Amino acid sequence: MISLSAWVLVAIVLVVVALAISVGATISRARRLDRLHQRIIASREALSRLLLRRASEASLLAQTAPFNGGGAEVMRDVARSSIHDDGDQLTTDGLDRRTTASRRGDRVEVAARLERASALSRAIRDTLTPEVRCSITSDPQAAARLEALDATCYRIELTRNVHNVDVAGVRALRSARMVKLLRLAGRAPIPEPIDFDDDTHIGGRGY
């Protein structure tokens, strides 16, 4: 009888330990999901600000740098169209707490915004050739603006890559059976990656 009671006690202890480990793992996953969601939102806000800064810097550079041909005008016009865009949403998943109706209404707007970002990347890539860059360096003011543009372009690429890695991590985590069963993600929508052409081949800081 004493031996049986000991085994029962051991079994109870093992069950309690298993439950504690399970609860701990569940809480840890829930917190990790929440942190990733918050990081994704922060990355989107940072990327939106960087895109606006890039457009402003490209527009200023086009006005002051010694360009040949019509490349400067194209880059300036594309940059100004981005500056005049009052929106900042880069996805339609609603993770930034927008309503479902708003997400549907913003789909075309978001697609147009991402296309403008891609168009500016192409304009920078096509306009700032090695020859043009060489001529810009002769003007200290234009050279400083070119350096600022290069740095911003690099930060855009880095921020978008980090964002998309976090999105992939959230999607993988939310596909786990335990996460789905216990609804650890709450009502947060599944995040979408941000896809546009951010390749400017500009050889700035970090390139």
Side-chain angles (χ1 to χ4, degrees):
M1 189 70 179
I2 295 175
S3 177
L4 180 62
S5 298
W7 280 111
V8 169
L9 182 61
V10 169
I12 292 174
V13 170
L14 291 175
V15 169
V16 171
V17 170
L19 285 174
I21 292 174
S22 178
V23 170
T26 300
I27 293 174
S28 177
R29 286 199 177 190
R31 287 178 175 173
R32 185 183 173 196
L33 268 172
D34 183 63
R35 285 196 302 270
L36 283 173
H37 285 148
Q38 295 303 319
R39 278 178 53 175
I40 288 171
I41 293 172
S43 293
R44 291 177 180 181
E45 293 173 349
L47 186 56
S48 180
R49 291 192 298 269
L50 286 169
L51 287 172
L52 180 59
R53 181 186 301 176
R54 183 183 70 164
S56 299
E57 290 167 350
S59 179
L60 286 172
L61 181 63
Q63 295 176 52
T64 59
F67 286 101
N68 293 322
E73 287 75 14
V74 173
M75 187 171 72
R76 182 196 60 207
D77 292 343
V78 175
R80 286 180 177 176
S81 69
S82 296
I83 293 171
H84 294 152
D85 180 5
D86 295 331
D88 61 356
Q89 192 180 15
L90 299 173
T91 65
T92 58
D93 56 27
L95 190 63
D96 55 352
R97 298 177 179 82
R98 292 175 183 263
T99 65
T100 302
S102 296
R103 293 203 303 275
R104 283 198 296 266
D106 289 340
R107 190 168 299 277
V108 174
E109 182 181 317
V110 168
R113 185 170 300 122
L114 294 177
E115 174 52 33
R116 282 192 291 271
S118 296
L120 183 53
S121 296
R122 292 191 295 269
I124 293 172
R125 185 166 65 227
D126 296 341
T127 303
L128 299 179
T129 62
E131 295 77 13
V132 170
R133 287 176 167 275
C134 185
S135 67
I136 289 176
T137 56
S138 62
D139 182 340
Q141 183 181 12
R145 285 178 174 169
L146 176 61
E147 183 180 0
L149 177 61
D150 285 350
T152 301
C153 289
Y154 171 67
R155 290 181 63 189
I156 285 172
E157 184 176 345
L158 182 63
T159 302
R160 191 176 75 88
N161 286 341
V162 169
H163 170 274
N164 288 350
V165 167
D166 284 342
V167 167
V170 166
R171 285 174 171 261
L173 195 59
R174 291 180 61 155
S175 67
R177 184 174 300 176
M178 183 177 73
V179 174
K180 290 180 177 179
L181 182 64
L182 299 179
R183 299 179 180 273
L184 298 183
R187 296 183 178 180
I190 298 175
E192 300 172 352
I194 296 175
D195 293 318
F196 64 89
D197 182 2
D198 61 4
D199 183 6
T200 51
H201 292 295
I202 56 178
R205 296 173 184 170
Y207 278 64

